[in-house]
Amino acid sequence: MKFESQLQLQAYLDGEMPEAQRREVEAWLAWDPEARALLNELRQTDAALAVGDCDLKLPESREFYWSKIQREIRRLETADSVPDRSGVWHWLTLWRRWLVPVGGLAILTVALIWGAWFSGRPNSLEVVLTSGNGTTYRDQARGMTLVWLSFPAENRFPEDELDALLFY
Amino acid sequence: MASVEPSKTASASAVLDDMALVQAARQGDMAAFEELVARHRDKIYARAYSMMRSEQDALDLSQEAWVRAWQRLDQFQGESSFATWMTRIVINVCLDALRRQQHRRAESLEELEEEAGGVERFMPVVTVNPTAGLEREELRTRIDAALAKLSWAHRTALILHSFEGMDYKQIGQAMGCSLGTVMSRLFYARRKLAALLADLKEERTES
């Protein structure tokens, strides 16, 4: 029997089927013993279930069971009426309020320091290319010179381009 | 003069009392809400247990459901009984918990099995009524044992349909799945339950 047919039998049993379709199922049941047997099994299961589920008693005393419910209700009502000043969200909200002005101020300060640093020391670092395989860095402010040698030469410029770059 | 059946009178009175308690609880009367908890706690706990199959989970989640109910008392319009409304809440709380508990891998395998048809589809039909002649309590115990062996998805579909009287559409909404999935879950659950009950009958006969 097809699965769809099995589900049709169940829908017939549960009264979840339009009248016209019910008549079709009844005609089918009249000649098909397999369908009748399945319908009978479904009916028996339903009849067994009709006794209802077990009568369970709460395994706790009335007072104990209620006390937890009451505590939770009070906790929620308190949480609703008083803003939570201890949670992370509270601190995040406070931070968010100050984030834009503080952030803006910080960016401005960094920009000013950066500008002052480079504008006040225009020629503090000088790069001098001495040859194809050596470079000299000279820091005027600190009185420091660094010579970088590489072999074979890292920068092999054509002679005319090299002339243009040399400024010592 | 029209007479009213005593059981119906008692039931109507209980509903009215629940409504009065709900209205008092809406005004912040905790004692009224405690009374509602005391009246329905066993049923709510039992539903949580039937879905979770764990005493501790059932305790925690039924208490969570009561807290959620307190927060949503304004939404209770009295269209259904308070017990029904409360049961829906605990079912939703348990379904949320079950979804959280499921490992991704296990979930995918189960879905694959459902799409492929599952072994229940090919099981031989149980022809003899496996529960015939059983006392009510014994039958309940046996069904409970069989339900414990079903997957959470199959068990929940069956509980919602057979114990809560939900139709396919309502089950689909509660479980967040399509009608086709509801139908297949329900079908496999019933077939597996029939086989399990038959096995339990055989075990009992042999012993």
Side-chain angles (χ1 to χ4, degrees):
Chain A
M1 192 187 304
K2 283 183 181 173
F3 184 51
E4 289 72 24
S5 306
Q6 293 177 327
L7 292 185
Q8 270 195 329
L9 278 179
Q10 177 179 248
Y12 172 80
L13 176 71
D14 292 334
E16 297 256 5
M17 192 175 260
E19 191 52 40
Q21 219 173 334
R22 284 185 70 81
R23 282 196 292 272
E24 282 177 24
V25 172
E26 278 161 6
W28 167 37
L29 284 166
W31 63 263
D32 188 348
E34 192 188 354
R36 282 200 300 275
L38 180 58
L39 183 65
N40 191 45
E41 184 202 274
L42 294 173
R43 273 198 179 124
Q44 282 176 358
T45 310
D46 267 17
L49 286 165
V51 297
D53 45 358
C54 282
D55 288 329
L56 283 178
K57 297 284 176 201
L58 199 71
E60 286 182 351
S61 70
R62 171 177 173 161
E63 291 75 21
F64 190 70
Y65 185 70
W66 166 249
S67 67
K68 193 178 161 190
I69 297 168
Q70 191 180 30
R71 239 189 350 261
E72 185 62 10
I73 288 171
R74 288 200 170 136
R75 191 189 67 78
L76 290 171
E77 285 183 345
T78 310
D80 284 347
S81 57
V82 181
D84 182 11
R85 296 194 178 280
S86 60
V88 175
W89 277 111
H90 173 68
W91 289 108
L92 279 177
T93 310
L94 280 180
W95 269 106
R96 221 171 17 191
R97 195 179 300 163
W98 291 101
L99 191 65
V100 173
V102 169
L105 196 63
I107 291 168
L108 190 66
T109 308
V110 169
L112 285 173
I113 291 170
W114 189 273
W117 178 266
F118 284 102
S119 63
R121 312 174 73 180
N123 300 312
S124 62
L125 190 67
E126 193 177 336
V127 181
V128 181
L129 191 66
T130 53
S131 67
N133 61 350
T135 308
T136 302
Y137 301 90
R138 190 177 297 141
D139 190 334
Q140 303 285 13
R142 296 182 185 177
M144 187 174 73
T145 303
L146 177 70
V147 180
W148 181 268
L149 297 170
S150 59
F151 186 82
E154 287 175 348
N155 302 314
R156 292 186 182 278
F157 296 101
E159 286 301 316
D160 53 339
E161 286 181 27
L162 190 62
D163 287 338
L165 284 166
L166 293 175
F167 48 91
Y168 53 92
Chain B
M1 193 171 137
S3 62
V4 180
E5 289 174 43
S7 61
K8 283 188 179 172
T9 312
S11 169
S13 162
V15 170
L16 280 177
D17 285 350
D18 277 357
M19 271 307 289
L21 289 170
V22 168
Q23 278 162 2
R26 277 179 187 150
Q27 307 302 316
D29 185 346
M30 289 281 260
F33 191 64
E34 186 193 1
E35 177 57 28
L36 284 167
V37 174
R39 282 184 187 183
H40 302 288
R41 63 193 175 131
D42 286 337
K43 180 180 165 61
I44 299 307
Y45 167 76
R47 177 55 64 241
Y49 183 83
S50 69
M51 292 179 72
M52 305 305 295
R53 316 304 302 183
S54 150
E55 189 177 296
Q56 193 54 53
D57 284 350
L59 277 170
D60 291 345
L61 294 172
S62 62
Q63 283 166 323
E64 189 183 327
W66 284 110
V67 173
R68 206 179 279 191
W70 168 265
Q71 294 173 315
R72 297 176 185 180
L73 277 174
D74 285 339
Q75 293 174 17
F76 177 63
Q77 301 298 321
E79 288 160 358
S80 61
S81 72
F82 179 77
T84 304
W85 182 73
M86 193 55 221
T87 305
R88 294 289 188 269
I89 291 179
V90 77
I91 286 170
N92 286 334
V93 169
C94 289
L95 281 170
D96 288 345
L98 285 165
R99 286 193 198 101
R100 284 196 301 268
Q101 277 180 13
Q102 295 314 304
H103 294 294
R104 189 88 194 144
R105 184 175 153 75
E107 187 83 340
S108 313
L109 282 175
E110 190 176 299
E111 281 169 11
L112 276 176
E113 188 189 320
E114 279 180 355
E115 282 168 19
V119 69
E120 292 82 8
R121 191 182 151 192
F122 305 104
M123 286 192 311
V125 172
V126 178
T127 49
V128 180
N129 187 352
T131 58
L134 289 178
E135 292 293 324
R136 190 180 174 83
E137 275 316 301
E138 193 181 353
L139 178 55
R140 277 186 166 182
T141 309
R142 199 173 285 191
I143 286 171
D144 191 56
L147 281 172
K149 292 182 179 174
L150 299 181
S151 73
W152 77 269
H154 291 169
R155 183 171 58 245
T156 304
L158 206 54
I159 287 170
L160 297 184
H161 188 269
S162 300
F163 298 154
E164 296 301 331
M166 289 188 186
D167 61 24
Y168 293 171
K169 193 176 169 186
Q170 288 171 320
I171 297 171
Q173 283 168 348
M175 296 186 77
C177 58
S178 67
L179 281 186
T181 306
V182 171
M183 289 172 81
S184 62
R185 282 180 177 173
L186 205 49
F187 182 75
Y188 299 140
R190 278 168 159 155
R191 293 235 58 205
K192 197 164 184 179
L193 196 74
L196 286 166
L197 289 171
D199 286 348
L200 287 170
K201 185 184 172 73
E202 278 174 21
E203 281 171 20
R204 186 168 173 262
T205 311
E206 283 166 12
S207 64

